[in-house]
């Protein structure tokens, strides 16, 4: 999508150098820095320290990371080492494993000297397919938005609540949950987005607000605590979020705090949508609440907040007594029954068993 | 309660000077600063800029504020000006009006020269009664905690979730929601408190965590988004919060974010308690959701976070793109049906009509 009027992607291949360019998302929204990744270590580090984040972008970056490993050595040992190194970077997002499995499956039958080119091509395909899938998701979501607005008493502005960042910065382009917002806005629908801050890392405040501002979509920042009140007062027409991993029963692991929003939406009959490419579904998991591993992150993300000080310098401040113990689950799991529809590249699906089977067939799995 | 082993109160009368000492709560947890208030303007400002906050402490401070006004002039005009100035400082907390009404009712029949002494005495009574009420609330809550722990499979540690600060810093002493925690802890019950950060102002992180640390109560800080996950995973045995205003139908206005926790507790059959002195109940309000005014606070509280930088200096940092618009409701309203029991100085009460009537009778209203 657009940065200062220019169309960019969150990961851009530099084909002549067999390298990629990414935005250092830890520096946003205060600074726009492009970084070049060209080694396995570069890619693994970028995922680990969250210079790239968001399930689809993690997948694409990991695929390129494996291509970098192959460029150094196409041996089986190099392939396995690359695979293991990248897989260990983040535990919750299933696209990571999905992308690595896909590239490895292409490489394994090949002679080692052919693997570098093949890996590079496959990573590129994954990125292109992600763009296409998200554009399609945006179209389906846009249609859903029009239906919700048509049902709204009095019409007017469609108030959309989102959490964390499931925008183009979480993908290669378009985004998942934000893709329909861009398409609706570009098509002239009056949309207004409630951007939930998303503590502890603040991806709503720092990434979603930045994206929407760059693209000119009206939005208002709120603290995570506000969602219940706004939903209770009828100020939210729909909620849409992305997903880090979806189980085959429709349970959705997404950024911590998603579940509370889903509860409030259910209580007040506000539709709650999850937008995702089908690669985010882990068909091996039958019960999301019981089986999806939840990443435990550092206490420091809770006890400290990072931002720009009065002098325009990025700084981290301590918000509690020194030495306070904290717990930091990166994700929570929303049971499928709270989700109105999954919005995928194959269309919209309920989370009941019949629809999940239909989705699996559509995905050819 | 205790600060570095010494027993202190959140507001302390300096009788020889007709002044009071308060803790500047905007400087906590990083700095402990006592301020002396001796004029109406001092008191009004301390409430307005939240050097004192929490419904009961606002009430006590306002009562002293009226006494300061009377010390300057005991005229009817001075009384009305003092009343109006103090009432305008914060819109949601009902104790403010309750305390002002009570002092004014004592003063109105008196000759103007008698008013200063009478106001000082009445303010002192309000403070003492608050301490006593909260100690009693603590006793009732402690009994409730023992019952919940007795029902807990396997016993062990009682995991308590609280939001914002309803501790002794919100009152004169003891606190409302935290009073039972202190009493249970002091009596040897194994308690552990999940302290919800409470964005935007972070009173959980800065005040509740500080209080509990000073008193030696085991606790863990979490972001507001964590509550749903912890409750879903059985890691919360009960939730207890304070209140800023309770309607006669049992609806509870409390810090923004309370409602989301109540929804999660209801869903997972975790008891949800509200601890309050009966002065927090506004019997003139029949429907809390429709009638309790919700304070709109500044966008800057959302767009900025204050804390201690690496050099140990307090600093405010911007967490979103410059110029981002924000909405900031100070409170939300939890419907009475989500509340297991109100814990008051008169014992515990459901929010059904019969119990609310019983509570009103107990309060002699």
């Amino acid at each position: 999508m657009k940065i200062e009027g220019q169309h960019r992607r969150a990961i851009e291949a530099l084909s002549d150098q067999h390298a990629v360019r990414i935005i250092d998302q830890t520096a946003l929204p205060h600074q726009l820095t492009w970084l070049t990744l060209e080694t396995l270590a570069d890619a693994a580090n970028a995922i680990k320290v969250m210079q790239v984040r968001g399930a689809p972008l993690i997948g694409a970056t990991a695929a390129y990371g494996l291509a970098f490993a192959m460029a150094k050595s196409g041996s089986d040992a190099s392939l396995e080492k690359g695979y293991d190194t990248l897989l260990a970077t983040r535990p919750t997002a299933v696209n990571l494993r999905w992308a690595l499995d896909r590239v490895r499956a292409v490489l394994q039958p090949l002679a080692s000297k052919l693997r570098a080119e093949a890996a590079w091509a496959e990573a590129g395909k994954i990125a292109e397919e992600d763009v296409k899938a998200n554009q399609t998701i945006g179209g389906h979501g846009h249609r859903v938005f029009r239906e919700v607005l048509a049902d709204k008493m009095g019409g007017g502005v469609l108030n959309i609540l989102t959490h964390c960042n499931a925008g183009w910065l979480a993908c290669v382009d378009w985004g998942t949950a934000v893709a329909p917002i861009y398409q609706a806005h570009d098509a002239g629908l009056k949309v207004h987005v409630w951007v939930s801050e998303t503590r502890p890392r603040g991806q709503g405040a720092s990434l979603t607000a930045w994206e929407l501002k760059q693209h000119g979509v009206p939005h208002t920042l709120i603290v995570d605590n506000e969602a219940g009140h706004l939903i209770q007062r009828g100020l939210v027409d729909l909620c849409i979020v992305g997903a880090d991993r979806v189980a085959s029963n429709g349970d959705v692991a997404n950024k911590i705090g998603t579940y509370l929003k889903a509860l409030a939406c259910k209580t007040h009959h506000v539709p709650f949508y999850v937008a995702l490419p089908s690669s985010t579904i882990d068909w091996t998991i039958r019960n999301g609440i019981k089986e999806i591993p939840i990443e435990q992150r550092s206490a420091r993300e809770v006890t400290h907040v990072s931002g720009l000080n009065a002098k325009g310098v990025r700084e981290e401040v301590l918000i509690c007594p020194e030495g306070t113990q904290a717990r930091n689950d990166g994700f929570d799991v929303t049971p499928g029954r709270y989700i109105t529809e999954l919005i995928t590249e194959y269309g919209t699906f309920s989370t009941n068993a019949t629809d999940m089977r239909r989705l699996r067939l559509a995905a050819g799995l």
Side-chain angles (χ1 to χ4, degrees), chain A residues 276-357:
Chain A
L276 67 155
S278 60
S279 57
T280 304
I281 304 172
D282 185 345
W283 296 103
T284 70
I285 286 191
R286 296 174 65 146
N287 182 308
I289 291 184
K290 290 194 183 145
E291 299 170 50
I292 296 176
I294 301 295
E295 180 177 359
Q296 298 290 316
R297 299 188 53 86
S298 85
R300 196 175 175 90
E301 290 183 350
V302 178
T303 58
H304 290 69
V305 173
S306 171
L308 216 60
N309 70 15
K311 288 183 184 141
V313 177
R314 191 164 193 118
E315 193 147 36
E316 208 179 54
V317 295
L318 172 71
I319 59 157
C320 60
E322 184 91 50
T324 299
Q325 184 183 318
R327 175 173 171 134
N328 185 8
D329 294 275
F331 304 89
D332 61 25
V333 180
T334 299
R337 66 179 176 281
Y338 290 97
I339 294 156
T340 308
E341 275 180 325
L342 302 174
I343 302 176
T344 78
E345 73 272 35
Y346 300 111
T348 57
F349 297 83
S350 303
T351 58
N352 62 43
T354 312
D355 258 33
M356 290 304 290
R357 224 169 7 243

Side-chain angles (χ1 to χ4, degrees), chain A residues 230-274:
Chain A
L230 295 180
I231 291 168
Q232 183 193 62
R233 302 295 161 127
L235 297 170
V236 175
D237 297 313
L238 66 88
C239 181
I240 187 164
V241 298
D244 288 83
R245 193 184 311 205
V246 176
S248 58
N249 70 342
D251 290 354
V252 169
N254 190 46
K255 183 61 55 200
I256 192 81
T258 301
Y259 179 45
L260 287 171
K261 288 175 177 64
L263 283 175
C265 283
K266 185 77 167 185
T267 304
H268 294 281
H269 312 292
V270 169
F272 184 90
Y273 300 99
V274 180

Side-chain angles (χ1 to χ4, degrees), chain A residues 34-226:
Chain A
W34 290 88
L35 302 175
T36 301
L37 310 180
E38 41 195 8
T39 68
L40 168 63
D42 287 350
N45 181 62
I47 298 170
K48 209 177 173 66
V49 305
M50 297 178 69
Q51 287 167 337
V52 292
R53 23 65 55 202
L57 181 57
I58 288 172
T61 307
Y64 279 113
L66 213 46
F68 300 151
M70 292 301 94
K72 209 170 167 198
S73 158
S75 71
D76 285 356
S78 167
L79 178 55
E80 288 316 304
K81 187 194 149 205
Y83 181 97
D84 292 344
T85 304
L86 290 159
L87 190 63
T89 50
R90 296 285 305 278
T92 301
V94 73
N95 300 54
L96 176 61
R97 196 182 68 205
W98 170 87
L100 290 170
D101 282 346
R102 176 168 157 176
V103 178
R104 185 170 64 173
V106 168
L107 303 185
Q108 271 168 340
L110 298 180
S112 58
K113 62 178 179 182
L114 299 176
R115 285 175 170 171
E117 273 315 307
W120 180 260
E122 195 64 21
K125 262 203 225 167
I126 286 176
E128 288 307 324
E129 287 174 21
D130 185 69
V131 174
K132 208 167 160 195
N134 289 340
Q135 189 171 12
T136 311
I137 288 168
H140 292 305
H142 179 193
R143 176 177 48 74
V144 168
F145 286 7
R146 289 198 173 267
E147 287 165 11
V148 174
L149 188 58
D151 287 347
K152 182 176 177 177
M153 298 261 283
V157 176
L158 186 70
N159 285 300
I160 301 163
L161 172 65
T162 191
H163 187 54
C164 196
N165 176 262
W168 69 268
L169 288 170
C171 302
V172 178
D173 205 352
W174 286 106
T176 53
V178 188
I181 296 174
Y182 287 127
Q183 296 195 16
H185 173 78
D186 289 351
L189 209 72
K190 279 187 189 148
V191 296
H192 166 258
V193 185
W194 296 111
V195 177
S196 181
E197 173 185 7
T198 318
R199 277 278 289 150
R201 291 183 63 93
Q203 295 95 331
S206 62
L207 304 180
T208 303
W210 182 83
E211 271 195 24
L212 294 175
K213 186 183 179 184
Q214 290 290 339
H215 204 82
V217 181
H219 61 281
T220 304
L221 181 65
I222 53 170
V223 295
D224 302 305
N225 282 324
E226 269 270 2

